Amino acid sequence: MSVTYSSASEHLARFLAHGNAQHLRSNLIGLEKETLRVLADGSIARTRHPRVLGSALTNPYVTTDYSEALLELITPPSSGEQALAFLDDVHRFVYQGLDNEYLWATSMPCVLSGESSIPIAEYGPSNPGRMKHIYRVGLGHRYGRVMQVIAGVHFNFSISDLAWQTLHALAGEPGTVQDFISARYMGLVRNIQRVGWLVPYLFGASPAVCESFFVGRSSNLPRFDEHTLYEPYATSLRMGDIGYTNAKEGESGIKASYDSLASYVESLECAIGTPSERYARIGVKVDDEYRQLNDHILQIENEYYSTIRPKPLLQNDERPTIALRRHGIRYVELRSLDVNAFEPLGLGLAQMRFLETLLLFCLFADSPVIDAAERDAIDINFARVAHRGREPGLELEQAGGKRLLREWAHEILDALQAFCDVLDADAGTAYRDALAQQREKVRDPEATPSARMLAEMRARGEGFHVFACRQSLAHRDAFLRRPLAQDRYAFFENIARESLQRQQALETLDTGDFDAYLAAYFAQRA
């Protein structure tokens, strides 16, 4: 891996010698933050998605994920500062529309009363709306509803077209620019998997969980107090064995290939097209009611969980794999971020700057294909860090041997220094300061969010539920003290109103048979 690290700085030097450094400071970032609506006692809300927030089917900025209560707040692609400011505005708009509810400040939910207490998201009677709902019904049957209400933050990243032009010219490779872009993004995906364990170590914020999460199930987690389970050195239980992670691949029998865009698409299409005996037992359409979209290994592409996804720009009702074949990769979606209870927005600007630097480094570094041995090591490392990341002397798997996490982390952070220098340029030291913050977390694991969370719970004598409620209410009060300016509120209000109108128009015009719609959707060919 040391050769790969040095290759990143070498490729960066070549770029700077032939291109404009400003083009590397024009990256686009988008955020998607999931957050549960909860009642006063911290239990999941069973109310419908508030109409004042618009249509969950067509509002581009406020939608729902698995549950009717699981909001997803979305920003358009922009600079990191602009994305975070937009996310702040969306939070304030949402809070001005909530009635006796507030937003849960952690990834792990609490005060669950079993599967029936979690309402599955509804999107109306249109064919696209029915498909989104039935997909979620299928997830509930396949994996259980409780796991589906774990929240996270997704970090979307792309570099500028001008940067791509320079990189393509320097590479001198045959093929189209888009083919080159897709190949390099797949290289980024492979590299972030290699070093991706660093993300839960630095930013993991789910070392403890409410015992209600396991209602009706057993758990081997140690007990923190009467109502809280935890692991002493955990960073992100959300990304560990209890969450919706790649551990599920063993159950589904599918392992995506990241060797190339073509192999990635083929592996997902194979899973979508291959029947599963296990899921066939659920049934697809029983007594004229859909239980899942199909009984295949995957219903659709989004069911395959990964810590990072290559993403296309979708047009109309395109399937994502079809869009990837037709248009190539336009950005990547990093999905391994916990919601940080110490941040009102779930993440902070320094964290975003670090992630931008890390992804840029992974784009520039050489990225050979991942063989079976390295794939096993990647999965082992991620699980080990999720459950034991702050354990003194923890070793990870690297190149067939063992490597101290602390040594390896410092090596990665050292390799990011040159990229921080470029991103800062004449604009101060923001990226270098963000890097310094992460160095401190490696030197002192007690500075990580996961350690801070457990330390505060111990100091206050409170379990996970009390801690999460207190943080959630503090964030609510802070947002309510800063209502949106009238013109800004009007912007989101208009978006919400227009989204309701678009949904109504769709439902009026969309009178086709759903079975035929679903068959046509899966029959798409590139």
Side-chain angles (χ1 to χ4, degrees):
M1 291 298 294
S2 59
V3 174
T4 301
Y5 296 163
S6 63
S7 71
S9 60
E10 292 167 3
H11 293 316
L12 177 62
R14 287 190 65 208
F15 181 93
L16 296 176
H18 295 84
N20 189 332
Q22 180 59 38
H23 297 162
L24 293 183
R25 296 192 286 273
S26 302
N27 306 313
L28 291 178
I29 292 168
L31 298 172
E32 302 168 26
K33 185 215 176 172
E34 298 160 349
T35 178
L36 278 169
R37 289 187 294 111
V38 299
L39 304 177
D41 64 353
S43 62
I44 188 169
R46 302 193 192 190
T47 51
R48 297 294 301 270
H49 180 68
R51 185 174 176 82
V52 69
L53 302 182
S55 163
L57 180 66
T58 57
N59 190 326
Y61 306 130
V62 183
T63 182
T64 54
D65 196 88
Y66 176 78
S67 172
E68 193 77 353
L70 185 58
L71 291 176
E72 185 169 359
L73 311 181
I74 302 169
T75 77
S78 58
S79 71
E81 292 89 341
Q82 291 169 333
L84 206 62
F86 194 97
L87 186 61
D88 181 70
D89 285 352
V90 178
H91 275 79
R92 290 191 282 165
F93 172 71
V94 167
Y95 262 119
Q96 288 176 243
L98 292 185
D99 184 18
N100 299 321
E101 296 174 351
Y102 59 98
L103 304 180
W104 198 240
T106 68
S107 282
M108 303 305 295
C110 203
V111 195
L112 299 171
S113 302
E115 301 280 303
S116 62
S117 69
I118 301 169
I120 298 176
E122 300 277 359
Y123 300 94
S126 69
N127 284 332
R130 289 189 65 192
M131 183 174 175
K132 286 173 72 73
H133 173 73
I134 293 167
Y135 165 60
R136 286 156 173 77
V137 171
L139 292 178
H141 284 301
R142 292 177 176 218
Y143 311 106
R145 296 188 188 185
V146 171
M147 187 177 68
Q148 303 297 324
V149 292
I150 299 174
V153 179
H154 301 163
F155 185 91
N156 300 324
F157 172 82
S158 65
I159 69 170
S160 70
D161 291 341
L162 292 173
W164 279 124
Q165 291 174 17
T166 300
L167 287 169
H168 185 237
L170 287 173
E173 297 176 6
T176 67
V177 175
Q178 184 55 60
D179 288 342
F180 173 80
I181 290 172
S182 293
R184 290 295 294 272
Y185 272 136
M186 289 304 296
L188 182 161
V189 167
R190 291 192 294 272
N191 278 336
I192 199 64
Q193 291 179 330
R194 291 179 166 108
V195 301
W197 55 264
L198 187 59
V199 174
Y201 175 83
L202 295 173
F203 305 112
S206 55
V209 59
C210 181
E211 67 174 355
S212 70
F213 182 79
F214 295 100
V215 63
R217 299 179 293 154
S218 61
S219 171
N220 295 323
L221 292 177
R223 189 166 288 279
F224 182 89
D225 70 5
E226 184 181 2
H227 300 295
T228 301
L229 304 177
Y230 84 124
E231 287 197 0
Y233 298 109
T235 62
S236 176
L237 294 178
R238 165 182 169 264
M239 297 304 301
D241 292 342
I242 70 171
Y244 193 25
T245 69
N246 286 338
K248 301 298 173 185
E249 292 173 337
E251 301 174 12
S252 67
I254 174 64
K255 194 81 168 180
S257 169
Y258 297 95
D259 291 354
S260 66
L261 176 58
S263 66
Y264 175 77
V265 168
E266 288 167 6
S267 59
L268 290 188
E269 288 184 335
C270 177
I272 294 169
T274 302
S276 162
E277 290 185 13
R278 176 181 178 180
Y279 299 145
R281 291 193 289 270
I282 297 171
V284 177
K285 195 175 182 182
V286 180
D287 296 331
D288 207 35
E289 182 175 325
Y290 274 93
R291 293 184 176 181
Q292 52 187 339
L293 294 175
N294 55 51
D295 58 8
H296 297 174
I297 294 174
L298 296 178
Q299 297 176 87
I300 57 175
E301 293 86 342
N302 286 352
E303 187 174 345
Y304 183 78
Y305 185 87
S306 58
T307 56
I308 187 168
R309 286 177 180 166
K311 301 282 285 188
L313 291 183
L314 297 177
Q315 298 179 11
N316 300 320
D317 279 341
E318 279 182 318
R319 288 174 46 200
T321 49
I322 299 298
L324 284 169
R325 285 188 186 278
R326 290 173 177 168
H327 318 304
I329 302 171
R330 293 298 299 271
Y331 65 99
V332 294
E333 177 189 57
L334 183 66
R335 302 168 54 82
S336 54
L337 299 172
D338 284 354
V339 179
N340 186 347
F342 294 106
E343 295 281 356
L345 299 176
L347 78 169
L349 189 54
Q351 176 181 350
M352 293 177 62
R353 286 171 173 148
F354 174 81
L355 293 172
E356 181 181 358
T357 308
L358 180 65
L359 291 171
L360 201 58
F361 160 77
C362 287
L363 181 70
F364 272 73
D366 288 343
S367 184
V369 297
I370 296 171
D371 61 22
E374 188 178 17
R375 167 54 54 199
D376 289 342
I378 287 170
D379 292 344
I380 290 169
N381 289 343
F382 212 96
R384 196 171 291 174
V385 172
H387 287 275
R388 301 164 47 204
R390 292 177 288 104
E391 182 180 292
L394 181 65
E395 292 183 322
L396 302 181
E397 307 292 319
Q398 187 187 40
K402 303 286 186 182
R403 184 79 184 277
L404 282 171
L405 178 151
R406 179 173 294 192
E407 291 181 358
W408 194 355
H410 278 304
E411 183 179 4
I412 298 169
L413 297 181
D414 287 345
L416 301 186
Q417 186 65 57
F419 291 87
C420 288
D421 294 341
V422 172
L423 292 171
D424 275 331
D426 298 326
T429 61
Y431 287 88
R432 281 167 285 194
D433 292 344
L435 181 62
Q437 289 183 26
Q438 313 320 314
R439 290 189 192 277
E440 179 58 27
K441 293 178 189 175
V442 176
R443 284 192 293 265
D444 178 14
E446 293 303 305
T448 60
S450 56
R452 291 175 57 205
M453 180 174 167
L454 292 179
E456 188 163 316
M457 288 163 59
R458 288 192 184 97
R460 289 176 170 265
E462 61 189 17
F464 170 75
H465 174 248
V466 176
F467 167 84
C469 280
R470 180 169 53 79
Q471 292 296 113
S472 301
L473 290 170
H475 296 337
R476 178 203 63 182
D477 293 345
F479 285 121
L480 290 176
R481 284 194 298 269
R482 299 186 299 114
L484 287 172
Q486 185 173 356
D487 60 338
R488 192 60 171 162
Y489 184 83
F491 167 80
F492 287 106
E493 187 179 41
N494 288 336
I495 293 290
R497 184 185 308 110
E498 291 168 1
S499 72
L500 292 169
Q501 294 169 353
R502 285 195 299 274
Q503 178 174 344
Q504 184 178 23
L506 181 63
E507 292 169 358
T508 301
L509 296 173
D510 190 2
T511 58
D513 178 72
F514 179 72
D515 292 350
Y517 172 85
L518 198 59
Y521 180 84
F522 286 115
Q524 291 180 53
R525 295 292 181 268

